[in-house]
Amino acid sequence: MVALLQFSDWQRHLPFGIGDFGSSRSLSKAFKCVNKEYKTTILSRDPLLIYIHGFISTEESELLLKLGEPKFEPSRLGQNERNASVRSSTSATLLRNEPVVDCIAARALEFQGSAMEGVLDGLQLVRYTESQQYNAHFDWYRGEGNHDPEGRRYNRLTSFFVIVEATTDLDGGETHFPEVIQSPGLLPETAMDSIMSSQREEYPGLRVKPVVGNAIFWINLHPNGTGDERTLHAGLPVNRGRKTAMNIWPRVYF
Ligand SMILES: O=C(O)CCC(=O)C(=O)O
Ligand SMILES: [Fe+2]
């Protein structure tokens, strides 16, 4: 069943949503936010890592690309720093109040259930072309976490990494979790083949292939709020073609 999500439903989830609210001619004004159906596969129990099949529709990915297209600029590390040897991709910040963006944000919060205060970081597209990559890193902040403009302390509780574009010639560009070993018996080989790339000795661990519309979700923090080192991950170099994805990072406040 596909139900229409009312404006008030998803607005209620996003009381303090951050992001760029700047004005735009809403490209996605005619877009209808539906409760999209998707399927899930657990890739790892601990840390929890879930693969989501069909998290966004073709219409949604096309709209996201249209919105992001004019805005790609070299990706940052943290707030302002740039270092192409660590992260050589380009990024485009997506505007909030854009129906397709808010629809996907609401879907992400609904997926994780314990939506806390519904505040999201990210909401940006990240794009890799040939030889571009993002070295192994954590999405969570070390130490005390980060502070919002009101001085409240938070960290990134979870991560959604949603593939928005993967050209037909795309080679490489897997999301690699070197510390995650596939839980024995969790998945049949055949299911794994469609999600994982074949063995690449130089990258042991979990290598998730970029497939348009699908997403990876994981939990960044231990129950006591500290960062889980096992969530270390990288965007492996794209050897050929182009990959574009969307980051969503729901926060937890302390
Ligand atoms: O490109 C990838 O596969 C991962 C990107 C990533 O981890 C990030 O943007 O934080
Ligand atoms: Fe990341």
Side-chain angles (χ1 to χ4, degrees), residues 47-86:
L48 184 62
L49 236 144
I50 299 176
Y51 189 77
I52 312 173
H53 309 253
F55 189 64
I56 61 170
S57 68
T58 308
E59 182 195 7
E60 288 164 349
S61 53
E62 284 170 359
L63 274 172
L64 289 175
L65 289 175
K66 262 197 203 136
L67 290 170
E69 208 61 61
K71 299 201 278 183
F72 281 97
E73 53 173 43
S75 301
R76 294 163 204 267
L77 298 167
Q79 312 287 28
N80 276 310
E81 196 192 335
R82 290 191 168 105
N83 183 342
S85 67
V86 177

Side-chain angles (χ1 to χ4, degrees), residues 87 126 128 134 137 139 161 173-175 233-235 243 247 249:
R87 191 180 193 193
V126 56
Y128 303 79
Y134 189 176
H137 65 278
D139 287 348
F161 191 68
E174 300 98 326
T175 306
H233 61 283
K243 150 184 153 190
N247 275 309
W249 292 305

Side-chain angles (χ1 to χ4, degrees), residues 154-168:
Y154 72 92
N155 212 332
R156 291 171 174 167
L157 177 63
T158 55
S159 291
F160 289 82
F161 191 68
V162 188
I163 303 298
V164 177
E165 179 190 38
T167 54
T168 47

Side-chain angles (χ1 to χ4, degrees), residues 138-143 145 155-157 219-232 254:
F138 301 109
D139 287 348
W140 46 271
Y141 299 102
R142 285 203 174 273
N155 212 332
R156 291 171 174 167
L157 177 63
I219 299 186
N220 285 312
L221 306 179
H222 292 295
N224 69 2
T226 60
D228 188 336
E229 307 268 343
R230 299 169 303 172
T231 62
L232 185 74
F254 300 109

